[in-house]
Amino acid sequence: MYKLLICNSTLSDKLFDPGCLHTSFGIRKEKKDHYTNVPRNANLEKLPKGYLFPEISLRQHQHLEQHPDASLISLGIGDTTEPVPDIVTSRMADFASGLSTLEGYRGYGAEQGNKELRKAIAETFYKDVNVKDSEVFVSDGAQCDIARLQLLLGSRVTAAVQDPSFPGYIDTSVIIGQAGDLDHETGRYHRLEYMKCGPENKFFPDLRRTSSTDVIFFCSPNNPTGHAATRQQLEQLVKFAKDNGSIIVFDSAYATYISDDSPRSIFEIPGAKEVAVEISSFSKFAGFTGVRLGWTVVPSELCFSNGFPVIHDFNRVVCTCFNGASNIAQAGGLACLSSEGFEGVRTRVNYYKENAEILLDALASLNIKAYGGQNAPYVWVHFPGMNSWEVFDMILEKANIITVPGCGFGPGGEEFLRISAFGHRESILEAARRLKALFS
């Protein structure tokens, strides 16, 4: 029997549920004897038929049905693989065990997060830029915070996204009502501003040709390209936001992977506190993809057009929609930021960076142009003139390797593949060997 490796079990299980009628891109409505009078949210109807990673899971499933003995290597979804340091898991286990005692039991915590953890985040990541612990909101992950920020911003704002970019920015913009209709020919939504970020412009948009918007979603190091914006580039971005009265939503989830002098926080740039919020996560540096823990920084200096502080409205959204991150997860987060814990998680980060170097070396030996990998756990591989889904299918069919087609990250990702460096070392070495055999 083959083993099916699913990128997202909940969504993928639905894709394969025999009780539903399926297309190759998602789920059609079930046949029912009764329908309500409630119309479907019109914005949800504007989303593509299938989310990227369930579609990859579907193709993976079909491949394994045809090749049941295939030994697949998954370098697709960016999921960590190496064990969490003992000091972190032991702290979580101790907290969980304490819940069975009168002395150790804890119920609801503050919606904004454990004060000790908020202080530790501020001191560990923002000490040199004077972020206060009261400006840190602990959450269950950066992706959830993107959705909460969209609730904060509402449907009337205009938004800009990097192209290519993480699909969550675009999909939440569609759901909240900011994006307008999809142009199926271009793959772009009419009301979104797509900021082209490719090798030809050093993965940073030409702001002279970028229309002003209320909100700018910007990820550095970028997912999927792996590029970390330089100080000069971020200075341009902050100036652009100030000149146009915009708010930057800065995603720094991969900041701990930065090896050079690129800024790890938007708040390293003078004036950024007046124009930006920052979201981040324990997922990729601490192996918390399943534990779920992240944070958002909302500076007290950031205000809406009427002068009202953004932090007060974000606090209201958090208190309305969220009961706080798991106490057990927060205990683990605190352990990660202890001296011993931080050294342990840094070891895992370096492990994945070594994986990326192995993949980059293999591709360089084949004269295949690849980007990223040095400041992020992703390698962005260029196949000029080729359709990214076709390259995905070829590598899956001939090398039994799961990657991610670049077009899934936006029109600017066509001709590219994203290869993840998250994996056991033996899998990375074998993947490098297979790629050399395929493209030699």
Side-chain angles (χ1 to χ4, degrees), residues 182-426:
L182 176 65
D183 184 327
H184 292 281
E185 290 188 8
T186 64
R188 294 177 170 88
Y189 285 91
H190 290 147
R191 290 184 56 209
L192 290 181
E193 175 73 13
Y194 288 79
M195 303 183 297
K196 177 69 174 176
C197 296
E200 68 280 2
N201 61 3
K202 297 182 179 179
F203 297 98
F204 188 78
D206 183 351
L207 296 176
R208 296 168 302 177
R209 300 182 179 180
T210 301
S211 299
S212 64
T213 58
D214 299 315
V215 183
I216 303 168
F217 289 97
F218 198 91
C219 179
S220 179
N222 179 264
N223 175 15
T225 67
H227 173 74
T230 66
R231 187 170 302 276
Q232 182 181 18
Q233 289 174 338
L234 291 183
E235 287 172 350
Q236 293 176 35
L237 183 66
V238 168
K239 183 180 185 303
F240 180 78
K242 274 197 168 186
D243 289 346
N244 292 287
S246 306
I247 291 177
I248 301 167
V249 177
F250 190 80
D251 187 342
S252 65
Y254 299 95
T256 53
Y257 286 82
I258 293 177
S259 302
D260 57 24
D261 59 356
S262 301
R264 288 162 173 75
S265 168
I266 190 67
F267 302 125
E268 293 183 35
I269 308 303
K273 289 184 180 179
E274 297 173 359
V275 296
V277 300
E278 182 166 305
I279 56 177
S280 199
S281 171
F282 284 81
S283 290
K284 304 303 170 65
F285 87 87
F288 272 30
T289 51
V291 176
R292 306 309 307 148
L293 193 66
W295 70 88
T296 290
V297 175
V298 185
S300 56
E301 296 93 327
L302 182 66
C303 294
F304 291 112
S305 60
N306 64 356
F308 192 81
V310 173
I311 190 171
H312 295 328
D313 275 356
F314 187 69
N315 183 67
R316 180 60 183 268
V317 169
V318 168
C319 292
T320 300
C321 302
F322 188 50
N323 278 330
S326 160
N327 289 329
I328 299 170
Q330 292 189 77
L334 266 172
C336 288
L337 302 184
S338 67
S339 57
E340 183 181 349
F342 201 69
E343 181 180 351
V345 296
R346 287 292 306 172
T347 299
R348 273 65 173 178
V349 168
N350 291 334
Y351 180 93
Y352 296 128
K353 290 169 68 173
E354 290 169 2
N355 282 352
E357 187 174 351
I358 291 169
L359 293 169
L360 285 170
D361 288 345
L363 293 163
S365 72
L366 298 165
N367 292 318
I368 295 176
K369 190 65 177 177
Y371 304 89
Q374 296 178 337
N375 289 321
Y378 300 121
V379 177
W380 188 238
V381 191
H382 194 197
F383 294 90
M386 299 184 70
N387 176 281
S388 57
W389 271 116
E390 290 178 358
V391 180
F392 168 90
D393 286 335
M394 177 186 68
I395 293 176
L396 175 58
E397 180 66 28
K398 297 183 177 181
N400 290 307
I401 298 174
I402 299 289
T403 58
V404 182
C407 63
F409 298 99
E414 191 57 271
E415 298 187 354
F416 287 86
L417 285 184
R418 192 195 76 177
I419 301 179
S420 169
F422 292 119
H424 301 309
R425 184 59 50 81
E426 59 270 21

